[in-house]
Amino acid sequence: MNSRMLTILLPILFLTFLLLLFLLLLLHRRTRRTRSSDLDSGDIHISIQSSPSTLNLESEVFPAVHSTNTHIQSSSSSSSSSSEFDHDVFLSFRGDDTRKSFTDHLYYALNKKGINTFRDAEILIKGEAIKQRLEKAIERSKFAVVILSKHYADSKWCLDELAHIIKCKEEKELKVYPVFYDVEPSEVRNQTGKFGDAFARHAANLERTRKLENWRSALKKIAGLAGWDLCGR
């Protein structure tokens, strides 16, 4: 696909992605406000299909969100209020790959629509430990969108961030969605291609094998989640 065609398709993908997140946030807020367990997700008709590997988000994401919210509502009479959260969306990405392209456009588009989005640029408080600041931002976000690009696994920071995102998904009901940006989900899941090269370097330079296994586990789990496959677009 030539660069002109890519320039035409990417804005469409951005808008589709934006609309989906916006509707997810509306669903989330509606269930918290009404405390209803019978939200009818059938009224929403969004389906993204482009290849056999691309997930049907209408049939897989929305029921999952509904099920998760219903579980939260029914599990406690004092469910958390929106004041628990500082951000609607946390963006995890490899800066060298997408900061000035995909991530930049997505960040501004989300915020323009009133969706409070966190990314690690100019927001970090001077003097505060960066890792602790990022972990706190993840914990106080409703959603995490992980943009998995070719050199994502090159960064130990990104891998630590991803491991914490998966931990919060499992322990705090954080909703996580991957974007496979110019990489195949299988490369992420099995650590092949650029991801395999990165892990070979990490294995040679890292003494703590447990950390390495935590990273592998996080990548395998994120690759198995419903998300967006933008490889080759």
Side-chain angles (χ1 to χ4, degrees):
M1 183 177 293
N2 58 40
S3 59
R4 182 178 180 182
M5 185 64 69
L6 188 64
T7 302
I8 295 172
L9 285 177
L10 279 179
I12 298 173
L13 292 169
F14 293 156
L15 290 174
T16 303
F17 182 68
L18 172 62
L19 178 61
L20 179 61
L21 277 177
F22 186 65
L23 288 173
L24 282 170
L25 288 170
L26 287 178
L27 281 174
H28 183 77
R29 289 165 180 165
R30 180 181 175 185
T31 54
R32 286 188 178 279
R33 184 174 62 251
T34 63
R35 305 180 68 83
S36 171
S37 62
D38 59 353
L39 179 64
D40 181 11
S41 61
D43 293 338
I44 298 171
H45 304 288
I46 294 181
S47 179
I48 301 174
Q49 297 177 338
S50 61
S51 71
S53 62
T54 303
L55 297 173
N56 183 324
L57 298 182
E58 179 181 18
S59 64
E60 299 195 31
V61 174
F62 283 109
V65 173
H66 174 227
S67 176
T68 298
N69 283 338
T70 301
H71 173 72
I72 293 173
Q73 296 294 333
S74 61
S75 64
S76 173
S77 61
S78 57
S79 62
S80 302
S81 68
S82 60
S83 61
E84 283 188 24
F85 303 102
D86 293 331
H87 316 286
D88 292 319
V89 177
F90 180 95
L91 291 180
S92 176
F93 61 96
R94 178 72 164 119
D96 291 347
D97 286 347
T98 66
R99 182 187 296 278
K100 295 183 179 180
S101 54
F102 181 88
T103 299
D104 199 47
H105 290 293
L106 179 60
Y107 173 79
Y108 284 109
L110 290 171
N111 279 289
K112 187 176 181 180
K113 285 295 184 180
I115 299 174
N116 186 334
T117 305
F118 179 97
R119 66 172 181 175
D120 66 343
E122 293 111 30
I123 298 179
L124 298 178
I125 300 173
K126 187 175 181 180
E128 185 175 358
I130 293 177
K131 183 179 179 182
Q132 293 176 354
R133 179 70 175 92
L134 290 174
E135 288 182 350
K136 181 179 178 182
I138 293 168
E139 293 165 6
R140 296 186 63 82
S141 296
K142 298 177 184 177
F143 298 88
V145 175
V146 183
I147 303 168
L148 297 152
S149 54
K150 285 186 176 181
H151 300 287
Y152 185 92
D154 287 358
S155 169
K156 295 178 182 179
W157 282 97
C158 285
L159 292 172
D160 280 341
E161 192 172 276
L162 176 62
H164 196 69
I165 287 172
I166 295 299
K167 180 181 178 182
C168 288
K169 177 185 181 300
E170 296 172 345
E171 297 180 0
K172 297 178 177 293
E173 306 288 349
L174 174 69
K175 297 169 185 64
V176 181
Y177 299 99
V179 176
F180 300 98
Y181 188 85
D182 209 21
V183 296
E184 295 286 351
S186 61
E187 293 179 65
V188 178
R189 181 182 301 106
N190 303 316
Q191 291 94 62
T192 58
K194 295 290 186 181
F195 280 69
D197 294 340
F199 268 80
R201 290 191 293 272
H202 293 321
N205 299 321
L206 195 66
E207 295 180 0
R208 296 171 59 188
T209 56
R210 183 176 179 181
K211 178 180 279 288
L212 202 66
E213 290 307 310
N214 285 342
W215 291 344
R216 290 188 185 279
S217 176
L219 287 170
K220 184 175 181 180
K221 290 175 180 178
I222 192 77
L225 299 178
W228 294 265
D229 184 358
L230 306 186
C231 185
R233 298 192 184 192

